[in-house]
Amino acid sequence: QVQFVESGGGLVQAGDSLTLSCAAAGSSVRTFSLYAMAWFRQAPGKEREFVLSIGFAGGHFYYAEPAKGRFTISRDNVKNTVYLQMNNLQPEDTAIYYCAKGAMATAYSGASNERFTEWGQGTQATVSA
């Protein structure tokens, strides 16, 4: 059963912006507003890496270093959707981006295999030089 559906990926040029969306689906809708949400990415030939997360109410954040200053996470608990706004994209941002549901309400890092319970299928973002 699909728990989250990402969209908004595509091909852009360096310096462009892109906004990804992740909508809860199925049973995940009922508990979406209770848990933190996060974005991860996996570049070709690399392991999946944590990007940033947001707390259940949208007022608490946790950013990995690559996201600081360029990426913003937000959520709409009425629409059961979390967003990733990416600015000044660079070729090294090329990756499949995944959203994930946290195991707790407050934002936390996913950089050390911390547990995230449900995942989307991913959306590809490609940045050309």
Side-chain angles (χ1 to χ4, degrees):
Q1 181 180 5
V2 175
Q3 303 294 342
F4 293 94
V5 179
E6 296 101 333
S7 61
L11 173 63
V12 297
Q13 294 184 332
D16 286 350
S17 298
L18 203 59
T19 300
L20 307 182
S21 299
C22 166
S27 60
S28 294
V29 171
R30 291 185 287 106
T31 59
F32 178 83
S33 64
L34 302 178
Y35 293 93
M37 291 292 297
W39 286 94
F40 289 75
R41 67 184 183 184
Q42 186 166 18
K46 295 187 177 180
E47 294 186 353
R48 185 176 63 198
E49 68 171 345
F50 169 77
V51 180
L52 71 181
S53 65
I54 185 170
F56 76 105
H60 184 235
F61 309 93
Y62 203 105
Y63 285 78
E65 195 60 37
K68 292 180 180 178
R70 297 189 301 127
F71 293 5
T72 302
I73 188 172
S74 62
R75 66 189 298 162
D76 185 334
N77 286 345
V78 174
K79 296 181 178 179
N80 298 308
T81 301
V82 62
Y83 304 95
L84 175 60
Q85 172 70 41
M86 303 185 290
N87 297 323
N88 190 24
L89 284 162
Q90 300 301 313
E92 53 266 32
D93 295 316
T94 294
I96 300 174
Y97 285 76
Y98 300 89
C99 64
K101 176 184 172 182
M104 63 182 73
T106 56
Y108 59 101
S109 171
S112 300
N113 294 319
E114 291 87 349
R115 180 170 174 255
F116 286 82
T117 59
E118 296 170 3
W119 295 78
Q121 83 289 351
T123 185
Q124 175 74 47
T126 303
V127 185
S128 63

